[in-house]
Amino acid sequence: MAKPELLQSISSLAKKIDALSNQNLSLMQRIKELEDSNRLLSIQHLNDVKELEKAQKEIEFLSLSHRLAASPEALVEARNKVSSLIRTIDSCIRLIKED
């Protein structure tokens, strides 16, 4: 291969290396952005799951209190009783976890 052809090949390869290097940097930056976005979405998902679980417990609580009550006064009393029982259970669970 003649010297000018060799220099031209080297120059062509250098341009391709630069282009690939720039593309690699761009892709690495995009990966980081997607990882950050994924991390935020995962946190949001966990918060949404917790909120959903809380809402489902509230639905259960309200359904149970409505079934237990024959009148509005009894409904309030039933809700208070169920709330008290739930607090007692939560307290017991905390005590068990401490041991």
Side-chain angles (χ1 to χ4, degrees), residues 56-91:
Q56 288 171 335
K57 286 180 183 178
E58 182 70 20
I59 288 169
E60 287 179 37
F61 173 73
L62 291 173
S63 296
L64 178 63
S65 64
H66 279 286
R67 280 183 269 159
L68 294 174
S71 68
E73 295 82 22
L75 178 63
V76 170
E77 187 178 325
R79 284 183 183 166
N80 290 337
K81 181 66 177 170
V82 171
S83 290
S84 173
L85 291 171
I86 290 172
R87 283 192 298 275
T88 302
I89 291 169
D90 287 342
S91 176

Side-chain angles (χ1 to χ4, degrees), residues 17 20 47 49 69 87-88:
I17 289 170
L20 289 173
N47 290 336
V49 167
R87 283 192 298 275
T88 302

